[in-house]
Amino acid sequence: MLEAGKRRVIFLHSWYTHPESRSKCRGFFLRNFFLKFFIGKTLDGMRMSEEYLESTEHLDYTCIQPAHLLHGPVTDQKFKVSDTESCVPDAAQAINRADVARYMLDVIDDETSFRKVRAIGVGEP
């Protein structure tokens, strides 16, 4: 990217990349089994890449962390965002892929989203 003179990049990660946030996960099975034994290492790898990005100076990155992805159509629901946690406690635990794409397009030129790791969600828990 340096050679091409490009700085902007958007990554798609997941809720719960911060290990501390996993205790906030609603649902006994999801919290105690799925996150821990099935996708925990993947989430740890995502967190490592976020930490690397935070140490760089040459990228205007945004790591978008959606909840569980669904196949539904795009909606006009308002996004709930957290720049401090890797989940959005007051949002539903699922979001349509089409809405994630809508969010990505919304922030591509938004300088307030540069150099952020941002959890997104919609709806009510």
Side-chain angles (χ1 to χ4, degrees):
M1 290 190 69
L2 284 172
E3 291 177 15
K6 304 296 179 191
R7 295 182 52 90
R8 186 67 173 130
V9 63
I10 297 178
F11 295 96
L12 183 61
H13 283 192
S14 177
W15 275 15
Y16 308 119
T17 59
H18 287 273
E20 311 83 53
S21 71
R22 296 175 197 170
S23 64
K24 297 176 184 173
C25 178
R26 297 182 298 272
F28 179 83
F29 177 79
L30 184 60
R31 180 180 54 253
N32 293 302
F33 295 100
F34 190 72
L35 291 180
K36 187 181 247 183
F37 298 112
F38 292 100
I39 65 168
K41 295 291 183 191
T42 301
L43 295 173
D44 293 343
M46 288 178 184
R47 182 61 196 144
M48 286 175 52
S49 68
E50 292 164 3
E51 290 170 341
Y52 171 76
L53 288 168
E54 291 166 347
S55 73
T56 66
E57 296 295 326
H58 66 282
L59 293 175
D60 293 327
Y61 65 87
T62 304
C63 291
I64 298 173
Q65 301 173 318
H68 173 74
L69 297 173
L70 302 173
H71 293 295
V74 68
T75 70
D76 61 354
Q77 292 185 72
K78 185 173 172 18
F79 291 104
K80 297 179 180 182
V81 176
S82 175
D83 289 338
T84 58
E85 297 187 52
S86 66
C87 64
V88 183
D90 65 338
Q93 290 195 139
I95 186 171
N96 292 342
R97 285 175 170 83
D99 284 329
V100 175
R102 177 171 60 100
Y103 184 81
M104 293 171 88
L105 292 171
D106 287 349
V107 300
I108 199 163
D109 293 321
D110 178 9
E111 291 185 15
T112 63
S113 72
F114 289 11
R115 303 192 57 76
K116 300 280 181 157
V117 177
R118 182 171 279 176
I120 66 168
V122 294
E124 299 299 322

